[in-house]
Amino acid sequence: MIERRLHRFDNPTLADIEFPLVEVRGVAEGPTLCLLAGVHGCEYSSIQAVRSLMRDLDPSELSGCVRAFPFVNPTSFLERSPFVSPQDGKNPNRTFPGDRHGTFTEALTYHVFHELIEPSDYLIDLHGGDMVEELHPFVLLDESEAEATARRMAIAFGFENLVQSPRAERIEGTTVAAAGDAGIPAIVAEAGGRGLLEQPAVDLLAGGVRSVLRELGMLAGEPSPASSPILARRFAWLYAAERGWWRSEVKPGDEVTAGQRLGAIEDLFGDERVAIEAPEDGIVLFMTSVPAVDVNGILCGLGTRREPA
């Protein structure tokens, strides 16, 4: 059975907002997987991956249920607001599991968590580089009681690069952090970016979800992991010490060594102000793709302390 409907949350803060919800329930019994995209509304390839996958998924081939929410933050999508909700300027992926009585973003993440994530057996949250980010495909998971299954899911997704930071260094308020705390195996997969709809990224993400469904026994067949997946034990984010013009000298996917020059911040006359160097050996997983940066603005993220997954 396939159900498509516009869903509303019972909360006055979210009044008048309709969320497209798609459920595909298989002919055989099985677990429920929650599939999200659009937590950040300008990550178009990940949104389209959910849209296309859910149109193609055949209930006759599925065991269990896939419940998909391709536009977690539809106002961010419609108003082209990268990273944050236009209503309160907050990043949804820093507020999970939310607050029913909080601001717009806090109320939104409360209902998404309690009505979609928490009742599910597994979570896959699809992302990509936002309007001003370029990245190399990777999968994130957190340390949690559910990490063994999450690791299986991450490997099955098929991307070469995985990141699992120590719990003490994890980013709080993310979908996977909240799910892991609730004992739900969860991963984030990222591909695409720069405010573009990129069909190769769509195909990568949709194919990765199908591979995980096979790993979980929800679809027939074998998963398609990368031949030699690599796990980064630290996600090192580099920030701008000054505002100005960011001139990168590496690109996503480049492997770098400790002390290597990654780029520089220049003033508006073109004079170099701050050189940016790699703190450790690693791989560039994402990067701000435009020159303009503010103080403490993110420049790039490195996967470091890498080992075979």
Side-chain angles (χ1 to χ4, degrees), residues 61-77:
E61 299 175 351
L62 181 68
S63 297
C65 174
V66 178
R67 182 179 296 121
F69 223 48
F71 295 89
V72 170
N73 200 345
T75 53
S76 175
F77 167 76

Side-chain angles (χ1 to χ4, degrees), residues 71-269:
F71 295 89
V72 170
N73 200 345
T75 53
S76 175
F77 167 76
L78 292 170
E79 297 189 26
R80 301 175 187 166
S81 175
F83 304 110
V84 300
S85 303
Q87 290 88 343
D88 58 12
K90 293 187 177 181
N91 183 342
N93 216 29
R94 300 294 183 271
T95 64
F96 281 92
D99 178 356
R100 179 180 177 85
H101 305 291
T103 67
F104 175 88
T105 301
E106 293 164 340
L108 171 63
T109 53
Y110 173 89
H111 287 281
V112 171
F113 179 77
H114 289 285
E115 296 184 31
L116 295 167
I117 297 175
E118 196 172 40
S120 301
D121 298 292
Y122 309 103
L123 168 67
I124 299 177
D125 182 13
L126 299 186
H127 284 254
D130 213 311
M131 194 75 78
V132 295
E133 289 179 332
E134 183 180 7
L135 59 77
H136 186 71
F138 63 92
V139 176
L140 289 166
L141 66 153
D142 273 358
E143 289 186 348
S144 73
E145 294 181 0
E147 71 175 81
T149 301
R151 177 83 70 91
R152 284 175 46 218
M153 294 167 62
I155 293 172
F157 204 91
F159 289 178
E160 182 181 65
N161 288 285
L162 319 178
V163 181
Q164 184 181 25
S165 299
R167 187 176 181 88
E169 296 182 13
R170 80 174 186 179
I171 300 172
E172 297 295 337
T174 65
T175 54
V176 291
D181 288 346
I184 300 165
I187 61 172
V188 165
E190 305 226 14
R194 298 174 297 155
L196 301 175
L197 177 57
E198 301 170 297
Q199 191 60 45
V202 173
D203 294 341
L204 278 174
L205 291 166
V209 174
R210 284 187 174 275
S211 183
V212 174
L213 290 173
R214 292 193 291 269
E215 171 66 26
L216 298 175
M218 298 177 68
L219 286 178
E222 296 298 319
S224 305
S227 58
S228 302
I230 300 171
L231 179 68
R233 288 292 188 175
R234 184 164 185 260
F235 207 178
W237 290 26
L238 281 65
Y239 297 88
E242 299 184 16
R243 67 190 326 183
W245 182 286
W246 161 232
R247 177 171 53 79
S248 64
E249 298 173 8
V250 293
K251 61 185 184 298
D254 285 353
E255 294 191 10
V256 298
T257 57
Q260 178 178 335
R261 184 181 166 98
L262 306 180
I265 305 295
E266 298 174 346
D267 65 22
L268 301 188
F269 294 101

Side-chain angles (χ1 to χ4, degrees), residues 47-57 199 202-203 206 210:
I47 295 171
Q48 178 58 20
V50 174
R51 283 164 29 103
S52 61
L53 173 72
M54 296 305 287
R55 293 184 70 86
D56 294 341
L57 203 54
Q199 191 60 45
V202 173
D203 294 341
R210 284 187 174 275

